[in-house]
Amino acid sequence: MEGVDHLAHERNKTEFDVDAMKIVWAGSRHAFEVSDRMARLVASDPAFQKDNRTRLGRKELFKNTLRKAAHAWKRILDLRLTEEEAGRLRTFVDEPAFTDLHWGMFVPAIKGQGTDEQQQKWLPLAYKMQIIGCYAQTELGHGSNVQGLETTATFDPETDEFVIHSPTLTSCKWWPGGLGKISTHAVVYARLLTNGQEHGVHGFIVQLRSMDDHMPLPGITIGDIGMKFGNGAYNTMDNGVLKFDHVRIPRNQMLMRVLQVTREGKCVQSNVPRQLIYGTMVFVRQSIVADASVALSRAVCIATRYSAVRRQFGSQDGGVETQVIDYKTQQNRLFPLLASAYAFRFVGEWLKWLYTDVTQRLQANDFSTLPEAHACTAGLKSLTTTATADAIEECRKLCGGHGYLCASGLPELFAVYVPACTYEGDNIVLLLQVARFLVKTVSQLGSGKKPVGTTAYLGRVQDLLQCRCDVQTAEDWLKPSVVLEAFEARSARMCVARAQNLSKFENPEDGFAELSADLVEAAVAHCQLIVVSKFIDKLQQDIPGNGVKQQLQNLCYIYALNLLHNYLGDFLSTGCITPKQASLANDQLRSLYSQIRPNAIALVDAFNYTDHYLGSVLGRYDGNVYPKLYEEAWKDPLNDSVVPDGYHEYVRPMLKQQLRNARL
Amino acid sequence: MEGVDHLAHERNKTEFDVDAMKIVWAGSRHAFEVSDRMARLVASDPAFQKDNRTRLGRKELFKNTLRKAAHAWKRILDLRLTEEEAGRLRTFVDEPAFTDLHWGMFVPAIKGQGTDEQQQKWLPLAYKMQIIGCYAQTELGHGSNVQGLETTATFDPETDEFVIHSPTLTSCKWWPGGLGKISTHAVVYARLLTNGQEHGVHGFIVQLRSMDDHMPLPGITIGDIGMKFGNGAYNTMDNGVLKFDHVRIPRNQMLMRVLQVTREGKCVQSNVPRQLIYGTMVFVRQSIVADASVALSRAVCIATRYSAVRRQFGSQDGGVETQVIDYKTQQNRLFPLLASAYAFRFVGEWLKWLYTDVTQRLQANDFSTLPEAHACTAGLKSLTTTATADAIEECRKLCGGHGYLCASGLPELFAVYVPACTYEGDNIVLLLQVARFLVKTVSQLGSGKKPVGTTAYLGRVQDLLQCRCDVQTAEDWLKPSVVLEAFEARSARMCVARAQNLSKFENPEDGFAELSADLVEAAVAHCQLIVVSKFIDKLQQDIPGNGVKQQLQNLCYIYALNLLHNYLGDFLSTGCITPKQASLANDQLRSLYSQIRPNAIALVDAFNYTDHYLGSVLGRYDGNVYPKLYEEAWKDPLNDSVVPDGYHEYVRPMLKQQLRNARL
């Protein structure tokens, strides 16, 4: 961040305290300081350089990732980093690696599903990385539907062992990260068979490779599943395939916190509530929502800065062209994404609270809020990841042609982010779960069951079915109560209408299948309401810093009114607002864009991303884009020689009309 | 296409004549036969193998493309292929290469802008590939705005030469395909300066490299601009950077068909109408629309076939799971894309007719339809490329996790397709041009000027502002006149409303800038109407083949009613239809999905794509997906060794707690 600042004129326009906004974005001064320190640590360490990533072949790329993972671990040990610091450091290294699964899935699986004894045995090994683990659930033929898994774990009472087996090709484990080349162990999910009976799918700790020479153990076939989307992206990860041929493991390697298999092969349910696993899902999904705000804000930061640097058209007399950020079409695409980044940040923050709340209730055996919390996190995971993936690609397009260069950072950001739409629950499948919950909630309203949490508004359904929006001027749209009511009324009316349509079917399941696309729309409306309402809640808090709250208010209304515009069909068809009111909302939106415009650069500076983490020539803090793009180009391997490999064999014979005799 | 057909049960359900549909898709029996023959020729030639593409490093990849380009040229010569056949062959080789620019831009530029003399000199060399050319227009700092280019061509009367120069870093040519490593020549666009005066931007033929040793000529710096989105994708192309340091070329290498520079350095306008260049733009853009239908249909073919192969959920008793194509949520996402592929095909066909019509008129000095044709092709280029890029990514998501593997073909299809949204006119900039034309058309209605071609409906604007949709049942939506009127009314009302809003501004340009996002929406509405109306026109034709027309009708209504649903806000806010009618359209849409469902596989078979061209394990004709995915995985370089490179240096020390002493 040294040298000339080509964006200084932009930064001088700022109307709020950027440092205060940085704290708001980070969540707390402490969180800001840890992140800032770790980001700088990584950025200043040449071992973590990543700008050559898209130029490496697969093997080189993978080896380089192993080096970085080892280096990161060494730094964590050397500097005695806390768990929080270590997590932030790994984030800023910004390269998918086997360690993500080890820390993010393997360790939590043992913690969540292992007995105390099992935890005592395995966790210390994992914490020291004396073993490296992965999470082997999905199979070649089975993704979303865990109950459809084919791998079997058959108890053999003679030897007190489970026999893990892949009975078909489609039962091969397929996709687990860290599996293909690195993990020594895995938590493997398989159908439990004992005494000739099936007992559902459970997790088993299976050693995969020898601790001596890293070779797969007998009966185990493992490999990498091949190239994935993008140049670097997830190709730094060894997503793997795993086939078992009657592999035996001791009985005590089944994770038995919930269900135990006795020496005789009997299944005994423990007194640990099964609902605990939903608590884990809430945890994983809230972290996905938090990640969405990070990925989205990176893309927005790049597109916003480059939109201020880039000039096109608008000069009549050969003078300086117009900054593209000054075009309303650019603002209309970019600023709602900037607003979404903040919106997702705050809803993610709230989800973190929700997780602790749910956890405390579970420990007190209170399961009452769990279905609502589960639906809410499922829906928000879906909403935020879909929006973020689309937004990254939109940001890339907003950078014009240069966004297509890997040097822009955006192709890689997209390719590495987009699997979030599919993993941990396909986004459409998740919305169907939300819809199911909403329909159930609506159907129980008559019975006096009071909806809780994010569905509480459905308790006022009679009011919401009748209310009329009283907006008469564009400024009227700047009232939280007006916006909230419009979103609540839209969602409530859609839920009720869907529930009514469903009730026309004799078999509710047939109706659910037939109307599923409509139901998904109601779920989306509900989830958008959650994001809007949590943003509004945030604004009720005391937010220090000169002008900070004003900016956040503008962003909140941009987020809400842009949604209103994009989903206008919902609002109009349910009669929540009139076309005239929609048009006023649009006028207000344009005015908000003008208010945000001078603060746009500062609003992305508040994310506090280092140039290293951003990894984008277009998004450089100093705006010095073109000389650096030029410099970057020459690093391509094709530029190693002036005359390219292949010229003499293939191009020259063409030019010299000697192709007929050429060997190709 | 041999062996067991796992999709035979699907193909048996077909209710129409697939072979007849193949002819409809191809456009004619002749077109079908040429395509079919060329596709098989390429698919059966091992030299054109492409399934290893994503596993190659940049240099290897590029060299391999040079080999294929030479091989293709050799085949074209050996088999004495016609121009049409050669074009199809290059399409099916399916790998961006320098030849695309040579044939697609360099040759047409000389044809279109060169004098007869210049054509006689340069075209024979280009036709035999004794020279290889590219098209050097865009610069590092200048993309869309041709008038902003900085490169200069200064006439030196002393030597009768032009001096081509790059005065700044941002004036470097940047992006031209084929430039970086291969082209011997380029058509370079530069500001013409003569006698101290500027005369706009013109094209100049410049030799770049020595014909002896392929080294850049003195004063010329050339290189590749580096990695782009995707693994293979456009990384097979040497998009280049080019800097001139006072490079001299003879005066007769300025392309002088429209403007001539005399020996004295005077500029003389020729009698060739300038409008001819718009004719070229119409040509280029109609071919982009045709390409959109190809790219989209490939993605849809893959997603449709795999949706029939893949099964998830739906089995209560451990039996066979449900084919995902049977889920309404899947149909609701997939079938509109299938319908779009056909819709874009037919509008592309119509654009081809429009181009010949415009050309004939131009030759007869009739420029009356040119502005309308220009707006129409600009809009359709924008509409179809945006929709196609989004659709490819949606198809990828519709394949679940496996769509993320390069073996699915979809990541590469997306990465290679998506620049179409930016090149030949950024899609938003193009829509603004359409909007400008629409506003002008509306403003001239009072003066009695009759709108032509695709804007003819605006001549009935008074009716369209008043008409009321009379749909009362879901079946009523199956009338062409009803659908057409709804789309016409929506577009006309949006255009008129926008024009009225604009008239409130004192300065029309200020209004246009302020309301540009709204104007873009009107342009989209107009372009969607064109696609719908051309699809309906197609159905008025005689279409032979059992059941073929019925399928096309279903697709046409799916296309239109799905748009109506997605843009419901437009239709409702302009009062074209009521919420109740929208709901009936939705009911009809669901019913159409059920009717298309048994024909879905046959409808994608009708594209007649070889497995080679599709390049997708998931989209294989025989549906034998899983064994082939498994087989494909092992080809990854990471699987060359069981223990990966880097294990001993980086992983083992971690496992053995010896990292502290390791050198990383």
Side-chain angles (χ1 to χ4, degrees):
Chain A
M1 301 194 185
E2 280 159 35
V4 181
D5 181 357
H6 295 258
L7 289 171
H9 63 106
E10 286 289 339
R11 297 192 167 104
N12 287 337
K13 296 181 195 165
T14 309
E15 300 162 326
F16 69 96
D17 180 343
V18 183
D19 288 330
M21 188 66 93
K22 286 182 179 177
I23 308 295
V24 174
W25 176 263
S28 69
R29 180 163 296 279
H30 168 78
F32 169 77
E33 280 170 0
V34 173
S35 278
D36 189 59
R37 195 152 33 85
M38 290 302 116
R40 287 167 192 271
L41 187 73
V42 172
S44 64
D45 187 339
F48 291 129
Q49 196 200 336
K50 62 179 186 177
D51 54 5
N52 62 339
R53 203 157 48 185
T54 60
R55 293 189 289 264
L56 302 177
R58 180 85 203 276
K59 274 187 190 175
E60 257 177 302
L61 179 70
F62 186 69
K63 185 175 177 181
N64 198 37
T65 303
L66 298 184
R67 182 186 56 74
K68 286 189 194 179
H71 184 68
W73 185 232
K74 185 167 150 65
R75 296 299 287 159
I76 289 167
L77 296 176
D78 288 353
L79 297 171
R80 297 168 190 272
L81 298 185
T82 64
E83 206 177 314
E84 183 191 13
E85 289 168 334
R88 300 309 293 149
L89 181 131
R90 271 193 289 268
T91 298
F92 292 119
V93 170
D94 189 37
E95 193 156 301
F98 65 92
T99 42
D100 301 350
L101 287 300
H102 177 80
W103 295 109
M105 300 291 282
F106 181 71
V107 167
I110 295 173
K111 270 185 172 171
Q113 297 158 46
T115 60
D116 291 348
E117 208 180 329
Q118 289 174 320
Q119 295 192 35
Q120 277 157 29
K121 175 176 176 186
W122 295 99
L123 290 180
L125 295 169
Y127 284 147
K128 288 192 207 151
M129 299 211 81
Q130 290 179 291
I131 61 173
I132 298 172
C134 66
Y135 187 87
Q137 180 181 300
T138 51
E139 297 175 355
L140 184 51
H142 309 275
S144 307
N145 184 13
V146 176
Q147 297 315 315
L149 294 177
E150 292 181 80
T151 305
T152 51
T154 311
F155 182 63
D156 179 353
E158 290 199 16
T159 59
D160 197 21
E161 290 172 321
F162 288 107
V163 181
I164 313 287
H165 187 60
S166 311
T168 60
L169 180 79
T170 47
S171 74
C172 285
K173 293 298 173 186
W174 187 272
W175 274 117
L179 167 66
K181 291 285 147 183
I182 300 301
S183 294
T184 60
H185 291 67
V187 171
V188 172
Y189 289 83
R191 315 179 84 82
L192 170 61
L193 295 164
T194 167
N195 296 330
Q197 282 202 313
E198 246 206 67
H199 299 272
V201 171
H202 297 271
F204 299 82
I205 299 178
V206 183
Q207 184 175 346
L208 304 174
R209 292 179 166 95
S210 154
M211 300 308 294
D212 292 330
D213 60 7
H214 206 63
M215 293 297 284
L217 297 182
I220 288 179
T221 308
I222 330 185
D224 183 273
I225 59 170
M227 290 295 287
K228 290 145 289 185
F229 205 161
N231 303 79
Y234 261 94
N235 293 306
T236 57
M237 181 71 88
D238 53 332
N239 296 91
V241 48
L242 168 60
K243 203 173 166 183
F244 294 104
D245 182 7
H246 300 94
V247 172
R248 290 177 167 265
I249 59 167
R251 179 168 55 92
N252 67 10
Q253 287 181 213
M254 168 172 157
L255 293 171
M256 299 211 205
R257 189 160 177 211
V258 171
L259 185 86
Q260 277 140 34
V261 173
T262 65
R263 179 64 190 88
E264 296 74 35
K266 273 197 191 155
C267 289
V268 183
Q269 204 78 32
S270 80
N271 56 5
V272 175
R274 306 209 99 202
Q275 286 91 337
L276 274 182
I277 58 159
Y278 290 102
T280 310
M281 283 170 96
V282 171
F283 174 75
V284 172
R285 288 177 184 162
Q286 69 84 19
S287 70
I288 292 178
V289 172
D291 291 346
S293 74
V294 173
L296 175 51
S297 56
R298 287 171 76 177
V300 166
C301 182
I302 295 167
T304 303
R305 286 183 182 161
Y306 185 53
S307 294
V309 168
R310 184 176 166 220
R311 294 170 180 273
Q312 288 280 302
F313 294 105
S315 135
Q316 306 300 337
D317 47 5
V320 182
E321 295 174 295
T322 305
Q323 289 170 282
V324 298
I325 198 172
D326 284 325
Y327 290 107
K328 273 283 181 296
T329 46
Q330 192 85 354
Q331 295 177 4
N332 183 53
R333 294 160 76 195
L334 181 59
F335 291 166
L337 304 182
L338 175 61
S340 301
Y342 278 91
F344 295 172
R345 190 72 181 178
F346 298 139
V347 83
E349 207 168 66
W350 171 76
L351 274 180
K352 215 181 277 180
W353 168 84
L354 182 74
Y355 171 67
T356 47
D357 181 65
V358 163
T359 312
Q360 283 167 5
R361 286 171 191 266
L362 286 179
Q363 278 158 359
N365 272 314
D366 169 7
F367 305 122
S368 63
T369 64
L370 196 56
E372 186 269 325
H374 180 252
C376 162
T377 45
L380 290 174
K381 183 272 181 188
S382 174
L383 180 84
T384 57
T385 56
T386 297
T388 296
D390 291 349
I392 297 171
E393 173 58 11
E394 182 74 352
C395 285
R396 196 188 61 68
K397 291 204 183 92
L398 283 167
C399 291
H402 298 345
Y404 189 63
L405 284 171
C406 287
S408 78
L410 291 164
E412 286 297 289
L413 194 56
F414 180 76
V416 85
Y417 184 74
V418 80
C421 297
T422 310
Y423 63 56
E424 286 299 318
D426 173 88
N427 279 355
I428 298 296
V429 174
L430 290 179
L431 289 175
L432 285 170
Q433 292 177 6
V434 176
R436 207 174 271 276
F437 176 72
L438 290 173
V439 167
K440 195 172 163 194
T441 304
V442 168
S443 73
Q444 291 175 339
L445 286 176
S447 70
K449 190 171 175 192
K450 233 181 135 185
V452 297
T454 55
T455 52
Y457 71 103
L458 290 173
R460 291 180 282 113
V461 72
Q462 290 311 327
D463 293 345
L464 291 172
L465 290 178
Q466 287 159 11
C467 68
R468 286 175 170 279
C469 176
D470 58 3
V471 164
Q472 297 190 340
T473 68
E475 289 69 38
D476 288 344
W477 277 115
L478 299 182
K479 294 177 195 156
S481 59
V482 168
V483 170
L484 208 54
E485 189 187 70
F487 276 82
E488 286 179 346
R490 165 213 185 197
S491 178
R493 292 176 195 194
M494 287 175 78
C495 290
V496 169
R498 267 58 171 179
Q500 281 169 349
N501 286 341
L502 274 179
S503 67
K504 293 174 194 156
F505 285 78
E506 235 171 82
N507 178 338
E509 281 309 307
D510 289 351
F512 200 85
E514 179 66 17
L515 303 179
S516 54
D518 284 3
L519 288 160
V520 162
E521 293 180 341
V524 168
H526 171 70
C527 294
Q528 288 175 343
L529 163 63
I530 300 176
V531 181
V532 168
S533 71
K534 296 306 162 192
F535 205 152
I536 290 176
D537 285 355
K538 177 79 188 179
L539 295 175
Q540 309 306 314
Q541 293 174 18
D542 182 39
I543 301 175
N546 190 17
V548 168
K549 192 177 246 184
Q550 181 58 49
Q551 295 304 318
L552 294 178
Q553 266 164 0
N554 289 346
L555 290 169
C556 178
Y557 289 113
I558 288 177
Y559 181 74
L561 297 183
N562 178 65
L563 280 183
L564 188 140
H565 183 69
N566 288 345
Y567 291 80
L568 190 55
D570 286 357
F571 286 91
L572 292 178
S573 63
T574 52
C576 299
I577 61 168
T578 64
K580 172 71 189 157
Q581 290 169 331
S583 168
L584 291 171
N586 234 14
D587 293 344
Q588 185 55 59
L589 206 44
R590 279 203 310 280
S591 153
L592 288 165
Y593 293 157
S594 301
Q595 292 170 55
I596 280 292
R597 165 65 189 92
N599 299 289
I601 297 298
L603 283 167
V604 302
D605 284 349
F607 304 145
N608 199 45
Y609 295 138
T610 62
D611 280 347
H612 172 274
Y613 185 58
L614 270 190
S616 167
V617 175
L618 303 186
R620 289 171 62 89
Y621 181 84
D622 67 7
N624 190 27
V625 168
Y626 297 117
K628 292 294 172 181
L629 265 185
Y630 188 82
E631 205 180 301
E632 203 61 21
W634 299 100
K635 296 180 187 165
D636 194 273
L638 266 194
N639 289 325
D640 288 351
S641 62
V642 176
V643 175
D645 244 30
Y647 165 76
H648 290 283
E649 300 94 312
Y650 310 122
V651 182
R652 194 178 167 82
M654 196 183 253
L655 289 166
K656 302 298 174 194
Q657 315 292 298
Q658 294 162 342
L659 214 53
R660 206 169 280 264
N661 316 313
R663 289 178 56 98
L664 300 176
Chain B
M1 300 194 185
E2 281 159 34
V4 180
D5 181 357
H6 293 261
L7 289 171
H9 63 105
E10 285 289 337
R11 297 193 166 102
N12 288 337
K13 296 180 194 166
T14 309
E15 299 162 326
F16 69 97
D17 180 343
V18 184
D19 288 330
M21 187 67 92
K22 286 181 180 178
I23 309 295
V24 174
W25 177 263
S28 70
R29 179 163 297 281
H30 169 78
F32 169 77
E33 280 170 0
V34 172
S35 276
D36 188 60
R37 195 152 34 83
M38 290 301 117
R40 287 167 193 271
L41 187 73
V42 172
S44 63
D45 187 339
F48 291 129
Q49 195 199 335
K50 62 179 186 176
D51 54 5
N52 62 339
R53 203 156 48 185
T54 60
R55 292 188 288 264
L56 303 177
R58 182 85 203 274
K59 275 188 192 175
E60 258 177 303
L61 179 71
F62 187 70
K63 185 175 177 181
N64 198 36
T65 303
L66 298 184
R67 182 184 56 72
K68 285 189 194 180
H71 185 67
W73 185 233
K74 187 168 152 62
R75 296 299 284 158
I76 289 166
L77 295 176
D78 287 353
L79 299 172
R80 297 168 191 272
L81 297 186
T82 64
E83 206 178 312
E84 183 191 13
E85 288 169 335
R88 302 306 295 148
L89 181 131
R90 270 194 287 270
T91 298
F92 292 119
V93 169
D94 189 36
E95 194 156 301
F98 64 92
T99 43
D100 302 350
L101 287 301
H102 177 80
W103 294 110
M105 301 290 282
F106 181 71
V107 167
I110 295 174
K111 271 186 174 171
Q113 297 158 46
T115 60
D116 290 349
E117 206 180 329
Q118 289 174 321
Q119 294 191 34
Q120 276 158 28
K121 173 174 176 187
W122 295 99
L123 289 180
L125 294 169
Y127 285 147
K128 289 192 206 149
M129 299 208 82
Q130 289 178 290
I131 60 173
I132 298 172
C134 65
Y135 187 89
Q137 180 181 300
T138 51
E139 297 176 355
L140 183 51
H142 309 277
S144 307
N145 184 13
V146 177
Q147 297 315 315
L149 294 178
E150 292 182 81
T151 305
T152 52
T154 311
F155 182 64
D156 179 353
E158 291 199 17
T159 60
D160 197 20
E161 291 172 321
F162 289 107
V163 182
I164 313 285
H165 187 60
S166 311
T168 60
L169 180 80
T170 47
S171 74
C172 287
K173 294 297 172 185
W174 188 272
W175 273 118
L179 167 66
K181 291 286 147 183
I182 300 301
S183 293
T184 60
H185 290 67
V187 171
V188 173
Y189 289 85
R191 317 179 83 82
L192 170 61
L193 295 165
T194 167
N195 296 331
Q197 281 202 311
E198 247 207 66
H199 299 273
V201 171
H202 297 271
F204 300 80
I205 300 179
V206 183
Q207 183 175 346
L208 304 173
R209 292 181 166 93
S210 154
M211 301 307 295
D212 292 329
D213 59 8
H214 206 64
M215 293 296 284
L217 296 182
I220 288 179
T221 308
I222 330 185
D224 183 274
I225 59 169
M227 290 295 288
K228 290 145 288 185
F229 205 162
N231 303 80
Y234 261 93
N235 293 307
T236 57
M237 181 72 88
D238 53 332
N239 295 91
V241 49
L242 167 61
K243 203 173 165 180
F244 294 104
D245 182 7
H246 300 93
V247 172
R248 290 177 167 266
I249 58 167
R251 179 168 54 92
N252 67 8
Q253 287 181 212
M254 169 173 155
L255 293 172
M256 299 212 205
R257 187 159 177 212
V258 171
L259 184 86
Q260 277 141 34
V261 173
T262 66
R263 178 63 189 88
E264 296 73 36
K266 272 196 192 156
C267 289
V268 183
Q269 204 78 29
S270 79
N271 56 3
V272 176
R274 306 211 98 200
Q275 285 90 337
L276 275 180
I277 59 159
Y278 290 102
T280 312
M281 281 170 97
V282 171
F283 174 75
V284 171
R285 287 177 185 161
Q286 68 83 20
S287 70
I288 293 178
V289 173
D291 290 347
S293 73
V294 174
L296 175 51
S297 57
R298 287 171 77 177
V300 166
C301 181
I302 295 167
T304 303
R305 286 182 182 161
Y306 185 53
S307 293
V309 168
R310 184 174 166 221
R311 294 171 179 272
Q312 289 279 303
F313 295 106
S315 135
Q316 306 298 336
D317 48 6
V320 182
E321 294 174 294
T322 305
Q323 289 169 280
V324 297
I325 199 173
D326 284 326
Y327 290 106
K328 272 283 180 296
T329 46
Q330 192 85 356
Q331 295 178 4
N332 182 53
R333 295 161 75 195
L334 180 60
F335 291 166
L337 305 182
L338 175 61
S340 301
Y342 278 90
F344 295 173
R345 190 73 181 177
F346 298 140
V347 83
E349 207 169 66
W350 171 76
L351 275 180
K352 216 181 279 179
W353 168 84
L354 183 73
Y355 171 66
T356 47
D357 182 64
V358 164
T359 311
Q360 284 167 5
R361 287 171 189 265
L362 285 181
Q363 279 159 359
N365 273 313
D366 168 6
F367 306 122
S368 64
T369 64
L370 196 57
E372 187 268 325
H374 181 250
C376 163
T377 45
L380 290 173
K381 183 274 179 184
S382 174
L383 181 85
T384 57
T385 56
T386 297
T388 297
D390 292 349
I392 296 171
E393 173 58 12
E394 183 74 352
C395 284
R396 197 189 61 69
K397 291 206 184 90
L398 283 166
C399 291
H402 298 345
Y404 190 63
L405 284 171
C406 287
S408 78
L410 291 164
E412 286 298 289
L413 194 56
F414 180 76
V416 87
Y417 185 74
V418 81
C421 297
T422 310
Y423 62 56
E424 285 300 317
D426 173 87
N427 279 354
I428 298 295
V429 174
L430 291 178
L431 289 175
L432 284 169
Q433 293 176 6
V434 177
R436 207 174 270 276
F437 177 72
L438 289 172
V439 167
K440 196 174 163 191
T441 304
V442 167
S443 73
Q444 292 175 339
L445 286 176
S447 70
K449 190 172 174 191
K450 235 183 133 184
V452 297
T454 54
T455 51
Y457 70 102
L458 290 173
R460 292 181 280 110
V461 71
Q462 291 310 327
D463 292 347
L464 290 172
L465 290 178
Q466 285 160 12
C467 69
R468 287 177 170 276
C469 174
D470 58 3
V471 163
Q472 296 191 340
T473 67
E475 288 70 36
D476 288 343
W477 276 114
L478 299 183
K479 294 178 195 156
S481 59
V482 167
V483 169
L484 209 53
E485 189 187 71
F487 275 81
E488 285 179 345
R490 165 213 185 198
S491 179
R493 292 175 195 196
M494 286 174 80
C495 290
V496 169
R498 267 56 170 180
Q500 282 170 348
N501 286 340
L502 274 179
S503 67
K504 293 175 196 156
F505 285 77
E506 235 170 83
N507 178 339
E509 281 310 308
D510 288 351
F512 200 85
E514 178 67 17
L515 301 179
S516 54
D518 284 4
L519 288 160
V520 161
E521 293 179 343
V524 168
H526 172 69
C527 295
Q528 288 175 345
L529 163 63
I530 301 177
V531 181
V532 168
S533 71
K534 297 305 161 192
F535 206 151
I536 289 176
D537 284 354
K538 177 80 188 176
L539 296 174
Q540 309 306 314
Q541 295 173 17
D542 182 39
I543 300 174
N546 191 18
V548 169
K549 194 178 246 186
Q550 180 58 49
Q551 294 304 317
L552 293 178
Q553 267 165 1
N554 289 345
L555 290 170
C556 178
Y557 289 112
I558 287 176
Y559 181 74
L561 298 183
N562 177 65
L563 280 183
L564 189 140
H565 183 69
N566 288 345
Y567 291 81
L568 191 54
D570 286 357
F571 287 91
L572 293 178
S573 62
T574 52
C576 299
I577 61 167
T578 65
K580 172 71 188 158
Q581 290 169 331
S583 168
L584 291 172
N586 233 13
D587 293 344
Q588 185 54 57
L589 206 45
R590 279 203 310 280
S591 154
L592 288 164
Y593 292 157
S594 301
Q595 291 170 57
I596 281 291
R597 165 64 189 92
N599 299 289
I601 297 298
L603 283 168
V604 302
D605 285 350
F607 304 145
N608 199 44
Y609 294 139
T610 62
D611 280 347
H612 173 275
Y613 185 58
L614 270 190
S616 167
V617 174
L618 303 186
R620 290 171 62 88
Y621 181 85
D622 67 6
N624 190 26
V625 167
Y626 297 117
K628 292 295 172 179
L629 264 186
Y630 188 82
E631 206 180 300
E632 204 61 23
W634 299 101
K635 297 179 186 165
D636 193 273
L638 266 195
N639 290 325
D640 288 351
S641 63
V642 177
V643 174
D645 244 27
Y647 165 76
H648 290 284
E649 300 94 309
Y650 309 124
V651 182
R652 192 177 168 83
M654 197 184 252
L655 289 166
K656 302 299 175 192
Q657 315 293 297
Q658 294 161 342
L659 213 52
R660 205 169 281 263
N661 316 313
R663 288 178 57 99
L664 300 175

